[in-house]
Amino acid sequence: NFNDEQIDILAGLLMGDGSIKRETNNMKIQCNLTNLDYLNYLYEKFYPLSSNPKLGRTSKELAKENVESGFDLSASEDNYSNQYFWHTVSHPEIKQFDSWYSSGVKVWPKNIKLNPTILKHWYVGDGHFNSSANRIEISMDNEYENTNKVENYFEEIGIDVDYWNKYTTNGRDRCTAQFGKESSNQLWKYMGDPLPGFGYKWPERFK
């Protein structure tokens, strides 16, 4: 079975870049990332309950796909990186996350209790270190209508969301939680040391 830390990591992954894949009897959690250092870290943390990271798509394939889809018409192999694929084993314990998808899209439950592990793995997925303003921003488009719920997550650990940036572009709702300098410092202190491959999302004084 997964231990408590592994379950927290999976929750953080699902809040960010992770997704569920349903199989015949059970489910697994997977993610595609260019950050191989981080995926190797996940593999070590979950061994033997996950796959070794494998090459998913080369930089050339990714660039071509993004040009053809219209996502990035200027994409080229030179400014893209190889993308790698990691997943847990299929396991009955993953079913506890199935309710996140009951609406047809991924929506976080109200009862998430943030802790340093969950928050850190969520932050490295969808968070951004705005180095010029020295603060944290976290994207969460699927929660566009649920900002009160997200504020409650942070209030329970004594941190305020200072500002919401909400807008619509190309027919898609965009939503980003923005934290001021004081709140951002609290978040970095709360999360602790950076995860492998993601040191650039932490200021030097917190490394």
Side-chain angles (χ1 to χ4, degrees):
N1 285 359
F2 296 112
N3 61 38
D4 289 345
E5 182 189 20
Q6 289 169 330
I7 291 294
D8 286 344
I9 290 172
L10 292 178
L13 270 177
L14 271 187
M15 292 181 81
D17 293 322
S19 61
I20 279 181
K21 181 174 184 190
R22 289 167 179 77
E23 303 204 312
T24 308
N25 296 316
N26 291 313
M27 307 171 188
K28 61 187 178 187
I29 288 178
Q30 59 188 21
C31 60
N32 298 296
L33 288 176
T34 57
N35 195 320
L36 189 56
D37 287 344
Y38 176 64
L39 294 184
N40 282 328
Y41 167 84
L42 291 180
Y43 174 64
E44 291 170 11
K45 278 286 183 186
F46 281 84
Y47 182 85
L49 296 174
S50 81
S51 70
N52 212 336
K54 297 178 179 64
L55 180 64
R57 287 173 291 182
T58 65
S59 54
K60 186 175 182 178
E61 289 169 335
L62 267 180
K64 184 182 178 199
E65 187 177 300
N66 284 337
V67 169
E68 289 175 350
S69 70
F71 177 76
D72 183 359
L73 296 177
S74 63
S76 73
E77 181 180 357
D78 294 338
N79 52 29
Y80 274 70
S81 301
N82 292 339
Q83 189 179 69
Y84 298 89
F85 178 68
W86 172 90
H87 61 82
T88 67
V89 297
S90 295
H91 199 283
E93 282 191 276
I94 303 291
K95 287 185 177 175
Q96 66 186 283
F97 296 108
D98 193 34
S99 61
W100 292 30
Y101 293 84
S102 59
S103 68
V105 296
K106 181 167 64 176
V107 177
W108 306 327
K110 288 183 179 178
N111 62 350
I112 288 177
K113 303 287 185 190
L114 290 182
N115 61 33
T117 301
I118 293 174
L119 183 57
K120 193 187 299 193
H121 285 268
W122 174 26
Y123 171 61
V124 299
D126 281 345
H128 169 64
F129 170 29
N130 184 330
S131 55
S132 60
N134 205 19
R135 59 181 173 78
I136 284 174
E137 302 167 0
I138 306 178
S139 300
M140 51 191 86
D141 297 344
N142 278 5
E143 302 295 334
Y144 188 92
E145 302 290 345
N146 306 318
T147 51
N148 286 343
K149 175 185 71 179
V150 176
E151 285 178 3
N152 288 336
Y153 296 162
F154 286 98
E155 282 173 9
E156 288 191 8
I157 60 170
I159 296 172
D160 293 326
V161 178
D162 292 294
Y163 179 70
W164 289 99
N165 186 17
K166 298 172 74 172
Y167 60 97
T168 302
T169 179
N170 296 329
R172 181 173 174 181
D173 291 335
R174 301 287 189 176
C175 179
T176 302
Q178 300 187 336
F179 299 85
K181 287 184 181 179
E182 185 179 336
S183 299
S184 297
N185 286 337
Q186 288 178 287
L187 284 171
W188 281 309
K189 191 172 181 181
Y190 182 78
M191 289 187 286
D193 294 334
L195 289 167
F198 283 110
Y200 65 92
K201 293 195 177 188
W202 270 254
E204 285 300 323
R205 65 188 183 281
F206 286 105
K207 293 180 184 178

